[in-house]
Amino acid sequence: MKLSNRRNLFITLAFTLAIGAAGCGGPEAGMKTKETEGPVNLKFAWWGNAQRKEQTLKVIELFQKKYPNIKIQPEDYSGTTALTTQLAMNVADQAIPDLIQMDYSFLNQYSDKKLIAPLDPFVKQGILNLNDVDPAYLDNGRRNDQLLGVTLGLNSPVYAYDPSIFEKAGVPVPKPEYTFDDLYNTARELKAKIKDKDFYPMTGFPDFAYYLRGKGVSYYNKEGTALGYDNDQYFAEFVSMQKKWKEEGLIGTDGSNGNGNNDLLIVQGKAALFHTSSNLVSGISQSAKRPIKILPDPAVPSGQEAKNLKASMLLAVSNFSDHKAEAAKFIDFFINDPETNDILLGERGVPISSKIRERLMGKIKETDKDQYQLVDYLKTHSKPIDPPAPGGSGVVNNLFKIYSEQVMSGMKTPESAAKEFRSEANKALNPLAQEDN
């Protein structure tokens, strides 16, 4: 097993053990829903690049001017791995930040151990105003009929594409309803037309969970105790497709020199398409200094609808916080305050407030409007997102990476890797059941 895989596995296990320990001694069911008199200090943990840090610190400064009795102590991290690693260290000591920016995938692990507070009482009191929010946009943060996190922005997995490369090659950009087969043919055309040994039609690829949705099944079962499919052909098809495309020189690898977007081949003009999240395309366009556009993910041929709208990230309140009402007030400020969103300009995704979206449409750059048009498109060309991944998902993802790499290198056939992956993944998701057998 590669060192990076071992490290990720260690982080996943450490986090699982930590939240297990915290869950045993969690807070009482009752919670303070009134604001505290006098000064209040709130710790706020998030991840992001330099641009997000600058914007977030300006928002915090603005909030503190409007609410001088509340001080926000920022804790920023480079990415989700860095944040979850730190939280794994904090959780067992019940030293969780009051406010946590979290990925949708975190929700099950935190909510199962009652580490995050329900926000419904603050909505009822009017501390957290969701009147201008479509209820469907809150579904990502709901679990067991409780609102546990508020979506900070809407996004979706997409291909960012460079129109200038398509124009130069004389290759038409795929229509939004294109399929994997269409993408393959487009990539081959680009490769044939652009005579540059360092050029790759694309970098990145939709994930396996997306492909399974197109097949009408889910990555995990509803209980999170096993994979959600039993047909090993799905894994074999998906990994074989990637292997073929890579061997034909259609998929390149982006650099990792610590230069952010500047390491991306699409920014360097060495790739036409890059798989990413829609809220990141604006920053990529800025780095490239030319328009980079958005294309929804391809459909599985003869398959079902697989596209979805997703919370780019959620903002939740720790159940251990002594100042939950003030934390809820900060969330309200983040999503509803006009000046705040003039600073953020949808960097975390398309705002969920209809009033804020309308306000920003007159302020954002033309290249940024693609995000908003994508959200409108996905209202009628998507299906509800799958439930958050179960606690053992980190181990499963590492297993998938290991077995798919073994297929890529020729160590295993797609069929044998598919069978072994499913067996090992099911053991990881429900080890007690395996012991009973």
Side-chain angles (χ1 to χ4, degrees), residues 376-396:
D376 288 339
Y377 174 80
L378 291 179
K379 283 180 181 179
T380 54
H381 295 82
S382 65
K383 71 177 183 181
I385 192 171
D386 291 337
S393 61
V395 178
V396 172

Side-chain angles (χ1 to χ4, degrees), residues 34 40 51-52 71 84 88 96 112-113 136 148 152 159 165 180-181 211 218 247 251 268 274 355 380 408:
K34 294 183 179 180
V40 167
Q51 176 190 349
R52 182 176 296 165
K71 302 299 180 185
T84 53
I96 313 171
D112 284 348
K113 300 299 179 182
L148 298 174
L152 292 183
Y159 268 107
I165 292 181
F180 276 96
D181 289 345
Y211 187 77
S218 298
E247 289 175 346
I251 305 177
Q268 299 167 13
F274 166 60
K355 287 185 177 179
T380 54
M408 298 292 176

Side-chain angles (χ1 to χ4, degrees), residues 290-353:
R290 61 186 183 278
I292 302 295
K293 307 286 283 181
I294 289 175
L295 193 64
D297 270 355
V300 175
S302 303
Q304 300 184 16
E305 180 61 79
K307 291 182 280 292
N308 61 260
L309 274 172
K310 176 181 178 291
S312 60
M313 54 205 68
L314 302 152
L315 192 51
V317 176
S318 164
N319 220 2
F320 294 100
S321 174
D322 293 326
H323 306 292
K324 297 181 180 65
E326 287 82 3
K329 177 174 282 189
F330 181 75
I331 297 177
D332 178 85
F333 185 80
F334 217 90
I335 64 172
N336 289 318
D337 185 79
E339 291 181 71
T340 288
N341 284 279
D342 286 350
I343 294 171
L344 297 173
L345 290 175
E347 188 273 334
R348 282 175 165 88
V350 176
I352 60 173
S353 164

Side-chain angles (χ1 to χ4, degrees), residues 115-425:
L115 298 178
I116 46 180
L119 298 173
D120 305 274
F122 307 110
V123 176
K124 290 179 181 178
Q125 291 180 36
I127 295 174
L128 177 55
N129 179 7
L130 301 176
N131 292 339
D132 299 319
V133 179
D134 187 321
Y137 296 161
L138 298 172
D139 287 346
N140 281 192
R142 289 197 181 279
R143 195 166 187 276
N144 299 326
D145 295 324
Q146 290 184 315
L147 182 65
L148 298 174
V150 174
T151 299
L152 292 183
L154 298 164
N155 74 357
S156 181
V158 297
Y159 268 107
Y161 73 91
D162 187 338
S164 66
I165 292 181
F166 279 89
E167 184 177 355
K168 175 184 175 182
V171 175
V173 177
K175 301 296 183 184
E177 291 77 17
Y178 73 123
T179 67
F180 276 96
D181 289 345
D182 296 326
L183 179 61
Y184 172 68
N185 292 329
T186 296
R188 291 188 69 191
E189 283 189 68
L190 288 167
K191 188 71 175 177
K193 295 287 182 66
I194 298 180
K195 306 297 185 181
D196 182 345
K197 64 180 180 61
D198 295 323
F199 172 79
Y200 292 90
M202 69 182 75
T203 58
F205 207 71
D207 62 26
F208 185 43
Y210 175 82
Y211 187 77
L212 290 173
R213 281 166 61 86
K215 292 291 187 179
V217 295
S218 298
Y219 201 178
Y220 303 103
N221 66 12
K222 291 182 180 180
E223 298 76 22
T225 56
L227 295 179
Y229 70 94
D230 55 13
N231 186 346
D232 290 328
Q233 192 61 30
Y234 297 150
F235 178 103
E237 287 175 358
F238 182 76
V239 178
S240 295
M241 177 168 55
Q242 280 188 290
K243 186 174 189 292
K244 177 183 178 181
W245 293 22
K246 285 187 176 182
E247 289 175 346
E248 292 185 17
L250 305 182
I251 305 177
T253 302
D254 289 304
S256 55
N257 298 316
N259 298 317
N261 287 341
N262 291 327
D263 286 337
L264 301 178
L265 294 185
I266 192 171
V267 170
Q268 299 167 13
K270 298 295 184 180
L273 298 125
F274 166 60
H275 197 257
T276 185
S277 294
S278 57
N279 64 303
L280 301 179
V281 177
S282 174
I284 294 169
S285 187
Q286 289 179 32
S287 298
K289 296 181 173 57
R290 61 186 183 278
I292 302 295
K293 307 286 283 181
I294 289 175
L295 193 64
D297 270 355
V300 175
S302 303
Q304 300 184 16
E305 180 61 79
K307 291 182 280 292
N308 61 260
L309 274 172
K310 176 181 178 291
S312 60
M313 54 205 68
L314 302 152
L315 192 51
V317 176
S318 164
N319 220 2
F320 294 100
S321 174
D322 293 326
H323 306 292
K324 297 181 180 65
E326 287 82 3
K329 177 174 282 189
F330 181 75
I331 297 177
D332 178 85
F333 185 80
F334 217 90
I335 64 172
N336 289 318
D337 185 79
E339 291 181 71
T340 288
N341 284 279
D342 286 350
I343 294 171
L344 297 173
L345 290 175
E347 188 273 334
R348 282 175 165 88
V350 176
I352 60 173
S353 164
S354 58
K355 287 185 177 179
I356 295 297
R357 286 200 304 276
E358 184 177 350
R359 176 186 177 89
L360 291 187
M361 280 297 285
K363 294 177 176 288
I364 59 177
K365 298 176 182 177
E366 195 64 33
T367 52
D368 295 341
K369 292 182 180 179
D370 272 10
Q371 285 191 70
Y372 294 75
Q373 293 166 355
L374 177 73
V375 168
D376 288 339
Y377 174 80
L378 291 179
K379 283 180 181 179
T380 54
H381 295 82
S382 65
K383 71 177 183 181
I385 192 171
D386 291 337
S393 61
V395 178
V396 172
N397 290 339
N398 276 294
L399 287 169
F400 179 85
K401 184 176 181 180
I402 291 166
Y403 282 107
S404 60
E405 286 179 349
Q406 289 177 345
V407 173
M408 298 292 176
S409 66
M411 289 178 60
K412 292 185 184 296
T413 66
E415 292 73 21
S416 64
K419 184 176 181 179
E420 290 177 41
F421 164 70
R422 189 164 58 86
S423 174
E424 292 300 315

